Amino acid sequence: TSDSWKTTLCHSILFPDGVPPGLMERITAAVLSDIYFATGPNTRNHNHHGGAATTQLIPQSLNREINHNRPNSEEQKLHVREILCWRAAFFLKIGMENMCPDGEIRESVVEIFCHLVDRESHLCVASESMGVGMRRLILSAKGQVGDGGKKIWNGGHKIVFRAVKRVMRGYGGLEFEKQIICPECLQKKPVSQASTFEFNQIRSVTLNGDETMRCQCGHLVDAILLTGFFDHQQKRNVSAQSKLADGEPIVPVTDLLGAVVLVGLWDEKSKKVIRAGSGFIVDKKRGLIVTASHTLMNIWGEEGSPFGEDYFGSRHGKVVIGVIPRSEDGNSLDGTTTVFRYFAKIIVKDDSIETKGVCHMDACILSITTRMEEDVGGDGDGCGDQPEILLLNDPDKMKREKLQQLKVTVNCELDEQVRILGYNQGGEGLRGRGEHLNRTADFARGYVVMKFATDEYAKGSLRQEFKPREEIVVMCYTIGGHSGGPCVNQQGEVIGILSRADSAEKHRCYLVPACEWKPLVKKAKKLSLF
């Protein structure tokens, strides 16, 4: 079963300026001591015949920790199967008895390996992101992923993890950084290229209610599996249920994906989709779509294409739109993968591009013009071979398309939980970016950390540059291809579209607020003939 699948959790402590002497000896001693107390026969002797239970005299703080690590000692008992120690490493194999639903007791085994390495070691994870002279303490645990990782954490990993944490607290003033290594990267990439998460950052995200995160390579990982915060998850679930009873329900992502579209820049000369992003339908009656301008034009002032011209100045360019098809009864979506179905054109963009030579808003409005006679899959190479049916300015035909639109709000609050929907083009860690066109929708969770507006960039004579007037800052891991995708609140309302990610902090991204591009939508509606 899937509960029996194995995975490897990997935590790391990065030392930028060297390691204190005797560190590994102290960690090994602390771990072995805690393991002895947690697994020894005299740790906690229960009298099952009515007598009082007796507990061996051990330090009170350690006793609390051991009891926390063993939430049900009658059903989950730990047994040490193997211990190996070296000068700079140790290996533990621990078995845990699990009471199955059928009453049978089965044992799950966790293998724990801890070692101190330098950047040049072939065992060093994420070594490509390390500087000269840095060293890394790596703690990894391999075991069954059942119960969301509880078999690994309760099977000995939590004991070792907390012992290491306790030793590190004793080094006041020592500079180090706690990290978590992406388990998907460990499986699919060389360990030296694995992505890392800052532990405190993923911890705060998990405690704020998020259960998944994306690494820099695009892998979607279970944040609770990485942190072991199962108790916090249960409290959040109870809290979430009470909120649902008192307020509006949280709109699931699957109810929104029908309005999220794949936006491609189609080159009629090469017969290919040469750029891809995301967008959403804001007006199903007129077939209007909001997306990011930079997917379809040069707003960054880059060389090689004219600034602000539609389709990067190509005379052969136009926009192809992918939508998730509906089931035969039309009441639900048929999966989460799009097909290319429509062509569209840019009808409204930021006026300052032409009037001032500066882009203040990474957003534009598209209008669906035609429908292809047959849906196109793959990388979209067959889009140019299809006869087209005119939909523009035909309300009856547009209505028969049964498009779905999203609601828009100009209100958002700091620390508000949000989701960014779109079609990432990161390659899922298996292909290089741009090698394959992904047509399957996904989403990333985050929260609002800042809202700012300024007129500073509206002054002066700057040209051919992107200078936003207003943006919303969200802490959320996003991947190339999400650009233009809607960022929605818990009620499914769009508060903005994704514009860009911070070059230094990949989990920090910037939205074009709805208040900025709503006037563009209003202008596009006036251009319509109905």
Side-chain angles (χ1 to χ4, degrees), residues 209-516:
D210 294 336
E211 297 182 1
T212 58
M213 293 187 67
R214 283 195 179 275
C215 76
Q216 295 179 3
C217 295
H219 301 131
L220 191 66
V221 296
D222 185 342
I224 298 175
L225 170 67
L226 299 183
T227 57
F229 294 152
F230 305 107
D231 295 338
H232 295 284
Q233 181 189 29
Q234 295 172 357
K235 293 176 183 178
R236 286 203 314 270
N237 291 341
V238 173
S239 175
Q241 292 173 1
S242 63
K243 289 180 180 178
L244 291 176
D246 297 334
E248 297 183 63
I250 298 176
V251 178
V253 168
T254 51
D255 289 357
L256 307 173
L257 290 180
V260 182
V261 300
L262 176 61
V263 178
L265 177 56
W266 172 258
D267 182 60
E268 290 186 322
K269 187 175 181 180
S270 63
K271 302 292 183 181
K272 291 183 178 295
V273 176
I274 58 176
R275 296 175 69 95
S278 305
F280 77 97
I281 298 173
V282 69
D283 187 325
K284 63 182 182 180
K285 178 181 176 182
R286 299 173 177 84
L288 300 182
I289 296 169
V290 181
T291 189
S293 294
H294 75 260
T295 302
L296 303 172
M297 65 188 76
N298 175 17
I299 64 169
W300 310 129
E302 299 169 337
E303 297 181 359
S305 61
F307 176 77
E309 287 194 19
D310 296 352
Y311 321 120
F312 291 86
S314 172
R315 294 178 298 173
H316 307 284
K318 58 180 180 179
V319 185
V320 62
I321 301 296
V323 295
I324 300 175
R326 292 190 169 273
S327 57
E328 293 184 1
D329 59 13
N331 295 325
S332 61
L333 298 180
D334 187 12
T336 58
T337 300
T338 64
V339 292
F340 290 110
R341 181 172 291 176
Y342 305 106
F343 282 108
K345 65 179 181 179
I346 301 171
I347 58 171
V348 182
K349 60 184 179 182
D350 183 12
D351 291 337
S352 62
I353 293 176
E354 295 181 356
T355 60
K356 302 178 182 178
V358 177
C359 180
H360 291 307
M361 184 195 331
D362 184 12
C364 64
I365 311 300
L366 311 178
S367 176
I368 294 175
T369 55
T370 60
R371 172 176 176 153
M372 289 174 254
E373 194 170 85
E374 299 289 339
D375 293 339
V376 177
D379 288 349
D381 294 349
C383 291
D385 303 328
Q386 293 289 328
E388 298 176 35
I389 302 170
L390 184 65
L391 299 177
L392 184 66
N393 294 324
D394 192 327
D396 293 331
K397 288 184 179 179
M398 195 70 75
K399 185 177 181 179
R400 287 196 291 269
E401 294 302 309
K402 297 182 178 180
L403 299 175
Q404 178 184 343
Q405 70 182 43
L406 297 181
K407 296 179 181 179
V408 177
T409 179
V410 296
N411 300 316
C412 72
E413 302 296 333
L414 294 180
D415 201 32
E416 182 175 9
Q417 303 297 308
V418 294
R419 296 159 289 177
I420 296 178
L421 288 62
Y423 300 86
N424 90 72
Q425 305 300 329
E428 296 296 340
L430 299 175
R431 303 192 186 191
R433 184 174 176 179
E435 293 181 5
H436 170 70
L437 182 61
N438 172 50
R439 296 184 291 110
T440 301
D442 67 356
F443 73 99
R445 294 182 182 273
Y447 55 96
V448 177
V449 295
M450 182 186 298
K451 298 184 290 182
F452 68 89
T454 176
D455 60 356
E456 174 185 356
Y457 299 128
K459 302 175 182 178
S461 58
L462 295 172
R463 298 188 61 81
Q464 298 192 5
E465 290 190 40
F466 174 62
K467 299 294 181 181
R469 286 186 300 252
E470 188 168 348
E471 288 185 307
I472 298 173
V473 184
V474 173
M475 297 298 283
C476 178
Y477 277 97
T478 58
I479 311 296
H482 280 163
S483 295
C487 180
V488 301
N489 58 22
Q490 298 290 60
Q491 289 74 44
E493 301 167 328
V494 181
I495 67 168
I497 62 171
L498 179 63
S499 173
R500 58 195 175 92
D502 194 294
S503 58
E505 298 181 68
K506 299 299 183 182
H507 56 277
R508 187 181 182 92
C509 56
Y510 301 84
L511 310 179
V512 187
C515 61
E516 280 283 272

Side-chain angles (χ1 to χ4, degrees), residues 42-56 74:
N42 297 323
T43 300
R44 194 169 181 86
N45 297 320
H46 293 275
N47 187 332
H48 298 284
H49 302 284
T54 60
T55 304
Q56 181 182 357
E74 293 183 334

